[in-house]
Amino acid sequence: MSDRRVPLVVLGAGPAGVAAARAAVEARVAVVLIDLGARLGGQYHRREPEAFATSAPGALHHGWARWSEDVTHLERSPRFTHVAGAGVWAIQHLADGGMRIATDREDLPSFETDALIIATGANERVVPFPGWDLPGVLTVGGAQALLKGQGMRPGHAVVISGAGPLLLPVAAALARVRTNIVALTDANDPRRWLSGSPRGIPLSKVREGASYLATLARHGVRLRPRTAAIAAHGDGRVEEVVLARLERDWTPIPGSERTVTADALATSHGFVPDIGVAVGLGCLLDAQDASAPAVVVDRSQATSVPGVWAAGEVTGIGGADVAVHEGRVAGLAAALMLGGDVDEDELERAIARRRADAPFLRTLAGVLTVGDGWTSWLTPDTTVCRCEEVTLATIDEAIERRGACDLRSVKLTTRCGMGHCQARICGPSVAALLTARTGQPPADAGALDRRPVLHPVPLGRL
Amino acid sequence: MADSLRVGDEDPRGLTRGARVELTFDEVSIEAYAGESIAAALLAADVRAMRRTRRHEAPRGLFCGIGACHDCLVRVDGSAPVRACLTPVRDGMAVTTHVLGEGGPS
């Protein structure tokens, strides 16, 4: 099939990608937006399937009005093309400065483009623990996808446990649809930011958090701070979850363990920017946190690679509001480069709005932490790499006895990160284990995100 | 069914599901609704394990729910494995447990 040349491709249909696409089409630039999902929304605004009907589609969504407005404008534009249900498996630079993008949609050609906006969002970070590979353990985002995307609860008796900003909204939504929530625990103490005490958290965020807590309280669900699910047990599926109180650094307090009966455990401990595409194109990374490298961008969201911009969580975790601000800047900046109808004052105003998010982002980075003590939840036979079934003992042996001192050498020695998910799940844990064992972060942060083939595809597509 | 994992009138969106469809999982009949993913249909039918791992034949099921982890691989009508969380149900489809090593990933 011959390639199709387009001026601008946006990867990702979440808040950042849609804001970027809208800004570009309003500047009279044609945009192709490619996304794995069937409908616009990404994970944050994941919709029910087209075959379902709803009378109030926004009822489980935060910020629905603004989102709907973006989508309405975009879908009305003759310059907008939405390529849905398409997994991007390869991007390469072309000799003429453009890029070629291959998807797993067999009915579509590859796309060639002059400019690219990466708005691929983030993956969840899940800290491993004994039993986290049992069926019935799923991510908090997975539970959210089931509810928003399918109208399903994850289980009949559900433990929600982890850390990060996703816990409360997902727990509150599950409580609203009368899920039996056995326990809700946060390894950190969210009261630290819910009280509004750290500087830089906007009042709207504090109110949003408080409304989730109020919903939970109405349904009789109490949030237990500094508590975590540190093990799951069961015969072929989750039957019991072990909860423990934690020290501030997430080390379990001896004797505080208690076991609850549950058939589902929703767990995750934060987000990791989904940088695979950016790494493949050679974009510069900020690896200050070796477990969560982010794409470096300038004030107009341009990456270090000409013709490539990045917006949203892929540039660092900031939430949907910041993602929209960044998406608008990226869309306007790319449109300007492509000769679109962009008022430079408008671009400067968009940049100023994004810059105003800086204090919030600094505070957020201080709040969304993963305590080093999680490594003591694991036993030597705990699976770390789910795909290749690599245990903690195997990784420790590679580091301590076989001289593996960076991500690449751990991968080559143990097969960690060589399976289906290509380190999307275990990568952050391997980086954190290397840091803990060697006393310094791996020098090759992002190495496990280098994927010549971004997703497994049938051989016939190559 | 009061015990169902499918959310009913409690869904504030006023959700109405698609048409009823029937599929099989490892030859057992399962009822589902058009638009549902295979993973959701299996979960509603109380199936948690969707594949077995290559080394230890350990059961795995829905984990990330968004197509990243590939732990929910199943076979459909004898196909190469597909992600159950991304693949919609179809009336009459025959879904089977995926054992890694029997054919490559999809």
Side-chain angles (χ1 to χ4, degrees):
Chain A
M1 222 178 289
S2 61
D3 294 344
R4 180 173 158 204
R5 187 89 183 194
V6 295
L8 175 61
V9 167
V10 176
L11 297 182
V18 163
R22 179 181 173 184
V25 297
E26 286 179 352
R28 301 181 171 277
V29 171
V31 175
V32 171
L33 189 155
I34 306 176
D35 188 74
L36 187 59
R39 305 178 81 170
L40 296 176
Q43 305 310 326
Y44 190 78
H45 286 306
R46 178 181 281 271
R47 292 286 306 271
E48 67 287 352
E50 304 251 21
F52 287 22
T54 47
S55 53
L60 282 175
H61 293 257
H62 187 75
W64 184 253
R66 181 189 63 197
W67 167 254
S68 304
E69 202 212 321
D70 271 351
V71 169
T72 305
H73 271 82
L74 201 51
E75 288 184 331
R76 223 183 265 152
S77 170
R79 295 185 182 82
F80 175 62
T81 307
H82 178 200
V83 177
V88 170
W89 65 265
I91 303 187
Q92 56 186 155
H93 289 290
L94 300 172
D96 66 2
M99 287 156 272
R100 180 185 290 127
I101 299 165
T103 77
D104 55 12
R105 281 268 306 262
E106 289 182 26
D107 56 328
L108 294 177
S110 297
F111 293 92
E112 286 188 11
T113 187
D114 300 311
L116 179 71
I117 298 176
I118 302 172
T120 44
N123 287 311
E124 282 180 281
R125 176 168 179 186
V126 188
V127 161
F129 51 84
W132 76 307
D133 46 352
L134 276 175
V137 179
L138 77 173
T139 66
V140 177
Q144 183 184 47
L146 271 178
L147 179 59
K148 282 184 172 175
Q150 301 282 321
M152 292 270 301
R153 305 178 187 90
H156 300 285
V158 183
V159 173
I160 305 167
S161 175
L166 198 56
L167 276 182
L168 284 182
V170 174
L174 286 171
R176 272 180 82 180
V177 301
R178 290 181 218 146
T179 305
N180 173 19
I181 299 174
V182 178
L184 167 62
T185 74
D186 190 323
N188 291 322
D189 188 348
R191 289 171 306 193
R192 276 180 59 216
W193 61 269
L194 283 171
S195 67
S197 56
R199 295 162 67 90
I201 303 241
L203 191 58
S204 62
K205 297 274 181 208
V206 176
R207 284 198 183 123
E208 187 188 338
S211 81
Y212 297 137
L213 282 182
T215 299
L216 288 162
R218 266 203 308 283
H219 291 90
V221 180
R222 193 169 70 86
L223 173 79
R224 293 169 203 280
R226 292 229 182 101
T227 306
I230 60 164
H233 302 301
D235 181 11
R237 57 193 280 176
V238 173
E239 291 164 348
E240 290 178 344
V241 174
V242 179
L243 302 173
R245 297 261 301 135
L246 305 179
E247 306 281 4
R248 190 181 283 267
D249 77 343
W250 294 22
T251 303
I253 296 173
S256 72
E257 298 88 352
R258 78 188 175 93
T259 301
V260 296
T261 301
D263 70 338
L265 165 58
T267 187
S268 69
H269 306 85
F271 293 106
V272 181
D274 187 359
I275 59 171
V277 167
V279 169
L281 288 170
C283 299
L284 193 67
L285 301 179
D286 173 355
Q288 217 171 329
D289 177 354
S291 290
V295 178
V296 172
V297 288
D298 69 7
R299 65 197 292 274
S300 58
Q301 301 299 129
T303 71
S304 61
V305 175
V308 181
W309 287 259
E313 305 299 67
V314 73
T315 70
I317 303 310
D321 295 339
V322 177
V324 168
H325 296 165
E326 293 188 353
R328 182 162 173 74
V329 172
L332 290 170
L336 184 65
M337 199 259 327
L338 292 165
D341 184 9
V342 178
D343 173 357
E344 291 199 33
D345 288 345
E346 197 187 347
L347 175 57
E348 285 305 319
R349 278 197 299 278
I351 289 171
R353 199 157 83 162
R354 165 60 184 81
R355 286 175 89 93
D357 294 323
F360 167 60
L361 292 176
R362 276 196 298 274
T363 305
L364 198 64
V367 170
L368 304 181
T369 52
V370 173
D372 294 337
W374 68 265
T375 54
S376 62
W377 305 357
L378 282 66
T379 58
D381 62 350
T382 301
T383 298
V384 175
C385 167
R386 301 166 64 93
C387 301
E388 292 295 316
E389 299 172 86
V390 182
T391 62
L392 177 66
T394 304
I395 293 171
D396 273 342
E397 194 208 341
I399 297 171
E400 283 155 20
R401 292 221 288 279
R402 300 175 71 186
C405 57
D406 60 12
L407 290 167
R408 193 168 169 277
S409 53
V410 172
K411 175 177 176 175
L412 295 177
T413 314
T414 67
R415 298 194 58 81
C416 226
M418 285 193 190
H420 284 133
C421 89
Q422 297 183 80
R424 283 177 177 83
I425 307 298
C426 72
S429 303
V430 175
L433 282 168
L434 265 168
T435 309
R437 302 307 196 230
T438 65
Q440 56 189 7
D444 60 345
L448 297 183
D449 296 284
R450 186 169 297 284
R451 305 176 184 108
V453 176
L454 290 158
H455 277 286
V457 282
L459 280 173
R461 291 292 288 164
L462 297 176
Chain B
M1 195 169 84
D3 200 25
S4 171
L5 295 184
R6 288 190 178 91
V7 180
D9 293 341
E10 319 87 280
D11 194 313
R13 293 171 296 180
L15 204 65
T16 310
R17 294 189 157 74
R20 278 227 154 181
V21 299
E22 202 175 315
L23 57 147
T24 60
F25 180 69
D26 290 343
E27 297 178 358
V28 176
S29 177
I30 285 172
E31 285 198 329
Y33 295 88
E36 284 185 343
S37 67
I38 294 173
L42 293 181
L43 195 63
D46 201 36
V47 174
R48 294 293 187 280
M50 299 174 194
R51 72 173 182 101
R52 295 207 166 254
T53 60
R54 183 171 43 188
R55 258 165 241 264
H56 302 302
E57 296 184 14
R60 291 286 173 81
L62 182 72
F63 182 65
C64 80
I66 64 168
C69 77
H70 289 73
D71 249 344
C72 63
L73 290 176
V74 293
R75 287 178 188 277
V76 174
D77 300 328
S79 71
V82 297
R83 287 167 278 183
C85 68
L86 297 183
T87 310
V89 295
R90 204 172 8 81
D91 196 39
M93 85 187 341
V95 181
T96 47
T97 297
H98 170 52
V99 181
L100 203 70
E102 294 173 4
S106 172

